[in-house]
């Protein structure tokens, strides 16, 4: 079945450091890929998405590129801020597959000033 | 517009009891999904409802059930609670795309109902 594997962390960085959170997937059908973010005490919110191979999703300085050849969708940000401290979830939905959003286990990011 | 609203936010139950959680989706959204979030298992899909019909179901025992009303509000019920049911239960709403009612994966989540089973 569909699955997502992401580095579980936790990840601790200093402000202005470069961030990478790795995500790889296994899917039937033609998946769309997502990063969701959960700030402390809140529900998840969509950060960015990509719906086909080579698409780049971007939002709030975060980027991720849909790499079909490596089945990956790594999240990157060039300069993190304290306000980026949150849990980040990689997810996929496979049209023609289960059609339910499947999440990785999440990566907790802490950014120190 | 108002976001997804879940009630109650926190509740404590004892083993063997049952619990009902409520979710009001964003206005105009007719699809409601439920997820269980635990530190060990992460986010696990429970079920999805659209137009009062269960459209998709995860791998949970029959103690977990749900329903959706004509106004798209949804409830989930867990009967005969076990310690392992302690979790954050998240509801998410979405609008499905096109006449084929395609799930785009763009979900809007509530803040969750945190259930503690003692």
């Amino acid at each position: 079945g569909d699955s997502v594997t992401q580095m579980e962390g936790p990840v601790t960085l200093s402000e202005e450091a470069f961030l990478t959170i790795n995500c790889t997937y296994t899917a039937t059908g033609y998946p769309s890929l997502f990063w969701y973010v959960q700030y402390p005490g809140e529900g998840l919110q969509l950060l960015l998405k990509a719906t086909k191979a080579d698409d780049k999703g971007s939002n709030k300085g975060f980027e991720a590129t849909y790499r079909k050849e490596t089945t990956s969708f790594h999240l990157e940000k060039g300069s993190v801020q304290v306000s980026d401290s949150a849990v980040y979830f990689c997810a996929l939905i496979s049209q023609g597959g289960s059609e339910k959003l499947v999440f990785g286990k999440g990566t907790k990011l802490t950014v120190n000033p | 517009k108002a976001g997804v609203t879940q009630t109650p936010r926190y509740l404590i139950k004892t083993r063997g009891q049952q619990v009902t959680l409520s979710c009001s989706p964003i206005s105009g959204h007719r699809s409601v999904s439920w997820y269980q979030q635990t530190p060990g298992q992460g986010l696990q899909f429970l079920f999805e409802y659209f137009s009062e019909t269960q459209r998709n179901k995860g791998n949970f025992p029959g103690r977990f059930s749900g329903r959706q009303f004509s106004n798209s509000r949804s409830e989930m019920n867990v009967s005969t609670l076990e310690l392992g049911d302690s979790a954050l239960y998240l509801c998410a709403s979405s609008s499905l795309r096109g006449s084929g009612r395609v799930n785009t994966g763009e979900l809007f989540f509530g803040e969750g109902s945190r259930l503690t089973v003692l």
Side-chain angles (χ1 to χ4, degrees), chain A residues 32 34 36 38 41-46 49 51 87 89 93 95 97-106, chain B residues 9 35 37 40-43 45 48 55-58 88 90 101-111:
Chain A
S32 295
F34 306 84
Y36 277 81
Q38 186 177 32
E42 299 184 12
L44 280 73
Q45 55 185 272
L46 178 63
K49 67 174 183 179
T51 58
V87 181
F89 294 89
I93 191 165
Q95 306 304 338
S98 65
E99 283 204 36
K100 61 187 182 190
L101 194 60
V102 174
F103 288 90
K105 292 205 168 183
Chain B
R9 288 292 313 279
Y35 285 83
Q37 185 177 19
Q41 298 299 317
L43 281 154
F45 174 78
E48 179 196 358
R55 194 167 175 266
N56 214 334
K57 187 176 187 305
L88 180 66
L90 290 166
R101 302 288 189 249
V102 174
N103 192 337
T104 64
E106 295 184 39
L107 304 185
F108 294 80
F109 284 83
E111 293 180 321

Side-chain angles (χ1 to χ4, degrees), chain A residues 22-83:
Chain A
N22 291 337
C23 170
T24 58
Y25 67 89
T26 303
T28 56
Y30 308 98
S32 295
L33 303 175
F34 306 84
W35 279 99
Y36 277 81
V37 59
Q38 186 177 32
Y39 297 103
E42 299 184 12
L44 280 73
Q45 55 185 272
L46 178 63
L47 180 60
L48 54 83
K49 67 174 183 179
T51 58
K52 60 183 187 297
D54 300 325
D55 268 2
K56 177 185 284 189
S58 61
N59 186 23
K60 299 181 181 181
F62 291 90
E63 293 183 338
T65 301
Y66 188 143
R67 301 285 189 201
K68 188 177 180 182
E69 63 276 12
T70 54
T71 61
S72 65
F73 192 55
H74 304 321
L75 182 69
E76 297 182 337
K77 186 175 186 182
S79 177
V80 293
Q81 306 300 312
V82 172
S83 57

Side-chain angles (χ1 to χ4, degrees), chain B residues 90-106:
Chain B
L90 290 166
C91 168
S93 74
S94 65
S95 56
L96 303 182
R97 186 180 69 214
S99 58
R101 302 288 189 249
V102 174
N103 192 337
T104 64
E106 295 184 39

Side-chain angles (χ1 to χ4, degrees), chain B residues 1-116:
Chain B
K1 55 184 162 179
V4 176
T5 304
Q6 292 188 244
T7 56
R9 288 292 313 279
Y10 302 91
L11 65 168
I12 299 174
K13 294 285 187 178
T14 56
R15 279 183 299 173
Q17 288 187 311
Q18 67 93 26
V19 65
T20 299
L21 309 178
S22 179
C23 173
S24 294
I26 290 172
S27 178
H29 285 185
R30 294 167 60 193
S31 170
V32 173
S33 299
W34 288 88
Y35 285 83
Q36 182 195 65
Q37 185 177 19
T38 59
Q41 298 299 317
L43 281 154
Q44 294 189 285
F45 174 78
L46 282 155
F47 24 66
E48 179 196 358
Y49 286 87
F50 177 79
S51 289
E52 303 177 66
T53 300
Q54 188 179 86
R55 194 167 175 266
N56 214 334
K57 187 176 187 305
N59 297 322
F60 279 80
R63 300 186 296 108
F64 292 81
S65 63
R67 59 177 176 168
Q68 186 180 34
F69 302 94
S70 59
N71 63 358
S72 295
R73 191 177 69 84
S74 177
E75 289 181 347
M76 68 162 283
N77 185 278
V78 187
S79 63
T80 319
L81 284 166
E82 301 176 359
L83 295 179
D85 297 333
S86 295
L88 180 66
Y89 290 87
L90 290 166
C91 168
S93 74
S94 65
S95 56
L96 303 182
R97 186 180 69 214
S99 58
R101 302 288 189 249
V102 174
N103 192 337
T104 64
E106 295 184 39
L107 304 185
F108 294 80
F109 284 83
E111 293 180 321
S113 293
R114 184 166 294 282
L115 170 65
T116 301

